[in-house]
Amino acid sequence: MNALDYLDIKIEDVSKEKVILTMVVDGKHLQPFGLMHGGMNAVLIETATSIGANESIDTTKQVAVGLDIQVNHLKSAVKGDTLTVVAIPDHIGKTTQVWQAEITNQIQQKISVGRCTLIVKKK
């Protein structure tokens, strides 16, 4: 089982220009105080940006993987919230890519924003 399956992250749309993922917050995403664990924001952002980055390369020869991630937590999420992450590229180079992402809840409130730098490596 991979992380997307285990965490119930759904791929809604994928292109070189934009990636959209969704996830309904449930018990496995929570920290002990009943709020979604902040690390989930990082998982969603890095997952979306990595998927997008790999759309721009020949994945039979290369792979784009996270090099640096910055995440700002803006609002808490709780069990039952439906989160949507939208990632778009700022820079697509031969050896690095930079993507930004925004996570919103079902009423379009920003939950988190982030930026991920990815390195393109030979397989």
Side-chain angles (χ1 to χ4, degrees):
M1 174 178 287
N2 65 38
L4 275 77
D5 292 337
Y6 177 73
L7 296 170
D8 297 318
I9 298 170
K10 307 292 184 231
I11 299 171
E12 303 295 340
D13 190 33
V14 175
S15 72
K16 294 177 186 180
E17 294 81 28
K18 185 189 322 185
V19 173
I20 302 173
L21 308 177
T22 58
M23 182 187 81
V24 177
V25 179
D26 70 18
K28 69 178 149 269
H29 306 120
L30 303 180
Q31 39 91 314
F33 304 108
L35 303 173
M36 185 179 77
H37 190 287
M40 287 306 306
N41 288 325
V43 168
L44 288 168
I45 290 168
E46 185 156 349
T47 300
T49 61
S50 293
I51 290 170
N54 281 285
E55 285 295 303
S56 297
I57 60 175
D58 179 354
T59 56
T60 64
K61 298 176 184 175
Q62 300 173 302
V63 61
V65 296
L67 183 63
D68 180 63
I69 187 166
Q70 300 169 349
V71 178
N72 295 103
H73 308 294
L74 307 176
K75 184 172 179 55
S76 297
V78 296
K79 187 174 182 178
D81 282 347
T82 299
L83 303 182
T84 301
V85 56
V86 177
I88 58 172
D90 286 326
H91 167 75
I92 297 178
K94 290 182 181 179
T95 58
T96 61
Q97 295 190 32
V98 179
W99 285 66
Q100 60 179 296
E102 181 177 288
I103 301 172
T104 56
N105 64 14
Q106 65 276 5
I107 57 172
Q108 301 307 307
Q109 294 172 315
K110 282 186 192 178
I111 300 299
S112 183
V113 294
R115 186 174 190 84
C116 189
T117 302
L118 303 106
I119 187 167
V120 178
K121 300 172 64 167
K122 290 181 182 177
K123 279 190 166 180

